Amino acid sequence: MEYLRVSTFLVNILISGSLYAEVKNYWQFDSDNNGITIHSREHKEGLVEIRVRMFTPTSYGAFLTLLEDSENVPNWIDKASHSRVLRQISATENIVYTQFSAPWPARNRDMVTYSKYWVDELGFNLTITDAPESALTKQKGYVRIRSVKASWMLQKLTNGTTLIEYKAFADPGGMLPNWLINKLSRQGAQSTFEGLREQLPKYQEFSHPQIEE
């Protein structure tokens, strides 16, 4: 009987722990400002993953053309100061280098990423991950952003608008406390999507050679 009670107790602990882990992994509502909805969930080591959604009229080709316009990146991606393609692996794959400015006393950041996009029956998809270390050595004066995992998803709706969803996690490195990193991630997501919505109308006249709408 004692063995049965201990076994039952252990099973209850395991079930409770599993349910708690699932709850922690759920998306939690953060904000809904100016038509931009932000959710977050715990990822690892106290940092959060961000999910941002917005509805706005755009074609897939216009969105991708904006994304590939490196010179315009600082005008809409929060804190981005410079971006360039280091290498085009294929028509749909790139190695990209991006620099971000940071207010004093924090150090500026940079990241080297691998991106790939495609269109399927659900819509437009683009994934972003860390590029190999060999793609670009560490740059003087910059802290390298690591553990990058992000995705863009666009889906056209019947009312003429497009759902734009962005999910992202990254470790900015350095000595910033987690609470500040998470706060800046949410603020940066809001600012980026406001910039995205402002810039997209300028690109609607463009198609993209790799995109069939």
Side-chain angles (χ1 to χ4, degrees), residues 71-89:
E71 292 185 2
N72 195 37
V73 162
N75 292 325
W76 67 279
I77 294 182
D78 186 63
K79 300 297 188 297
S81 58
H82 170 78
S83 181
R84 71 177 186 271
V85 175
L86 295 177
R87 183 160 64 97
Q88 185 173 37
I89 299 173

Side-chain angles (χ1 to χ4, degrees), residues 27-28 30-31 33 36-53 76-79 100-101 103 109 111 145-150 152 166-173 176-194:
W27 290 106
Q28 302 292 322
D30 283 317
S31 63
N33 296 318
I36 299 166
T37 305
I38 299 177
H39 289 75
S40 64
R41 63 182 176 187
E42 291 188 28
H43 192 278
K44 66 175 184 178
E45 298 176 357
L47 299 177
V48 298
E49 179 183 7
I50 298 293
R51 185 183 72 189
V52 195
R53 288 175 172 172
W76 67 279
I77 294 182
D78 186 63
K79 300 297 188 297
F100 299 88
S101 59
R109 262 64 178 173
M111 65 181 185
I145 298 171
R146 308 286 185 184
S147 302
V148 178
K149 185 175 182 180
W152 289 95
Y166 177 66
K167 296 179 184 177
F169 173 82
D171 184 348
L176 294 176
N178 288 344
W179 68 266
L180 181 57
I181 294 172
N182 293 335
K183 179 181 179 180
L184 294 175
S185 294
R186 295 179 176 99
Q187 292 176 347
Q190 180 74 29
S191 175
T192 294
F193 265 64
E194 289 175 353

Side-chain angles (χ1 to χ4, degrees), residues 119-164:
V119 177
D120 57 24
E121 65 276 6
L122 297 178
F124 174 87
N125 303 272
L126 184 144
T127 57
I128 304 169
T129 57
D130 287 319
E133 291 285 342
S134 58
L136 185 70
T137 59
K138 288 189 64 176
Q139 302 296 290
K140 184 178 180 180
Y142 287 86
V143 176
R144 183 62 51 88
I145 298 171
R146 308 286 185 184
S147 302
V148 178
K149 185 175 182 180
S151 65
W152 289 95
M153 187 278 293
L154 278 69
Q155 189 174 38
K156 291 182 181 178
L157 306 178
T158 56
N159 63 359
T161 63
T162 298
L163 167 64
I164 301 179

